[in-house]
Amino acid sequence: PSKPYITEVIAGNKRLTVTWTADISAAAYTLHYSGDGESGSINVEPTPISVTGTIPSLTNGKVYTVYVVACNSQGDSDQSNNDYGIPEDISVPIDFNNLKFTLGTADAEYIFVHNLPKSPAFSTGRPGTDRLTRVRETALGNLFTDGAAWYVREKLGEDIDFVFLNGGYIDNALAAGQITTGALAAMVDVDSREYTFTILTLKGSAVKELFDFSANVVHTGRGSSGTGAWGIVSEEVNYTIDYPVFTPAEIASPANPPSRPLEDYRHGEIRNGSLKINGADIVDSNDYRIAVASSLAEGQEGYLVFPINAKNIRETTIPFWHGVAEYIYDQGSITPYLDGRIKIYGGVPLGDLQEPYNDPSYTFVP
């Protein structure tokens, strides 16, 4: 590929955003930086006209030299012109009207679906159908709830106990590399993008009702229709959901059919003693401050516990995903993580299992 040319370096808080000319033959670019004993590089995906990469986690006030190299199967280009930038703590508000506004970078993909193998119910497999935020703890769910918790505390000034969101709010993956406002918006269910932050208070007894309802939400194992109410939580909360155990023997032999109707295996309950907030048991008479999307505060997805029991309600006009965007913008670089906040046990394995459940080609995966 031809030699790139850097056209702009924009300084931000602990980051530099670099733009350069594109080459249609480039398969990828490497953006290099160095400054006062610190150096590194990031990989950037190609685009047809111009390319932008954001270098995160830099030191404010330090001068950095940057240059770019394009590459493809034939080799690397000559390095671009050198340019310079000094990260600084300046408040540049996010332009939510600009879908190309750069929020930061993701170190790795935040996975939304797995392609599942064949089963009796799906003889050709189920590529891209198991929406994981409706099934289990995911890095995507953790990003949205922990990011929202940071925003509510740091920007809205609310000392909340935790964030609660429904998994159906999230509807797409987040690719590794540059994160733009458009990419983040595309991760949110299209009908949910206008839902705003609501902060409210529940008694501990009502918090227990909240999680009892969430555990009972239908769980097919693949995030199909009707599973969007499945709950996701910020890092302060931990619990285990128990589902009836569907054993390999019940699947493998016609003489050992499931001991219950299949629907029973799709509904769980909170394991006794497992529900903790900041490591402590919930006290029925205590107040708990919670941030949710406005849809849940109104009782959508069946969460009537909120409109029936909530007190001290603070409504905002700020879309929920905007708070997550502010979190990413502040961090500069984010990395997918799981911490075991939600554990599940039992249930129907590998999705909406239907007869013939004794199909010998089926392989049990708990």
Side-chain angles (χ1 to χ4, degrees):
S2 62
K3 171 182 174 179
Y5 182 78
I6 294 175
T7 58
E8 185 177 45
V9 179
I10 299 176
N13 184 28
K14 296 184 287 188
R15 75 191 71 188
L16 293 175
T17 299
V18 184
T19 301
W20 59 91
T21 55
D23 183 334
I24 59 172
S25 67
Y29 298 91
T30 304
L31 172 57
H32 297 264
Y33 63 93
S34 61
D36 192 20
E38 181 183 357
S39 62
S41 63
I42 62 170
N43 294 323
V44 181
E45 295 295 320
T47 61
I49 301 173
S50 65
V51 188
T52 298
T54 298
I55 307 168
S57 305
L58 299 178
T59 302
N60 285 339
K62 180 186 289 188
V63 178
Y64 290 88
T65 301
V66 296
Y67 68 89
V68 181
V69 173
C71 60
N72 60 21
S73 60
Q74 302 302 309
D76 295 346
S77 71
D78 292 335
Q79 74 176 54
S80 72
N81 56 307
N82 286 338
D83 212 326
Y84 306 89
I86 305 174
E88 53 184 324
D89 188 4
I90 53 176
S91 297
V92 178
I94 297 173
D95 182 1
F96 286 101
N97 293 316
N98 177 8
L99 297 181
K100 295 182 178 180
F101 187 94
T102 300
L103 300 172
T105 58
D107 291 342
E109 180 186 1
Y110 284 71
I111 299 169
F112 179 58
V113 296
H114 287 153
N115 293 335
L116 296 181
K118 296 178 181 179
S119 82
F122 299 92
S123 60
T124 59
R126 284 97 73 207
T129 58
D130 64 328
R131 291 170 280 189
L132 299 178
T133 54
R134 303 171 173 214
V135 173
R136 65 190 74 172
E137 179 195 349
T138 65
L140 271 175
N142 292 353
L143 169 63
F144 270 73
T145 52
D146 290 349
W150 173 90
Y151 179 78
V152 170
R153 292 180 180 123
E154 296 295 324
K155 302 299 184 180
L156 299 184
E158 285 276 2
D159 186 19
I160 58 170
D161 290 288
F162 63 94
V163 170
F164 185 89
L165 188 62
N166 63 300
Y169 180 87
I170 304 168
D171 206 32
N172 213 332
L174 178 62
Q178 180 177 306
I179 307 168
T180 62
T181 51
L184 188 63
M187 294 168 60
V188 179
D189 172 68
V190 66
D191 295 325
S192 304
R193 291 175 190 165
E194 299 305 314
Y195 294 155
T196 56
F197 278 100
T198 299
I199 301 106
L200 47 80
T201 298
L202 291 181
K203 288 291 186 184
S205 55
V207 172
K208 291 178 181 178
E209 290 181 28
L210 164 66
F211 286 104
D212 285 341
F213 179 87
S214 177
N216 190 53
V217 169
V218 64
H219 187 286
T220 67
R222 66 184 188 94
S224 57
S225 178
T227 62
W230 201 76
I232 55 179
V233 292
S234 56
E235 62 182 349
E236 300 82 11
V237 184
N238 294 87
Y239 56 92
T240 298
I241 305 178
D242 282 325
Y243 299 90
V245 177
F246 202 95
T247 68
E250 290 176 329
I251 298 170
S253 171
N256 294 288
S259 56
R260 309 185 189 195
L262 285 176
E263 185 62 26
D264 287 0
Y265 294 89
R266 302 185 179 114
H267 300 275
E269 58 184 17
I270 299 293
R271 179 176 292 183
N272 187 38
S274 71
L275 178 58
K276 309 284 184 181
I277 297 177
N278 288 316
D281 292 334
I282 294 173
V283 179
D284 286 353
S285 59
N286 283 2
D287 287 336
Y288 294 87
R289 196 72 170 150
I290 308 166
V292 299
S294 55
S295 54
L296 299 184
E298 295 165 359
Q300 293 186 34
E301 301 289 353
Y303 284 101
L304 299 178
V305 65
F306 290 120
I308 291 174
N309 296 281
K311 306 294 183 184
N312 301 322
I313 300 170
R314 176 184 174 185
E315 298 176 342
T316 77
T317 60
I318 303 160
F320 194 97
W321 72 271
H322 283 200
V324 182
E326 295 284 1
Y327 169 76
I328 296 170
Y329 192 46
D330 178 82
Q331 297 297 302
S333 177
I334 56 174
T335 302
Y337 62 89
L338 302 173
D339 55 23
R341 66 189 67 176
I342 304 173
K343 297 183 176 67
I344 61 173
Y345 179 78
V348 178
L350 286 185
D352 273 323
L353 192 65
Q354 301 168 2
E355 292 192 68
Y357 52 78
N358 59 327
D359 185 335
S361 68
Y362 180 77
T363 301
F364 175 74
V365 179

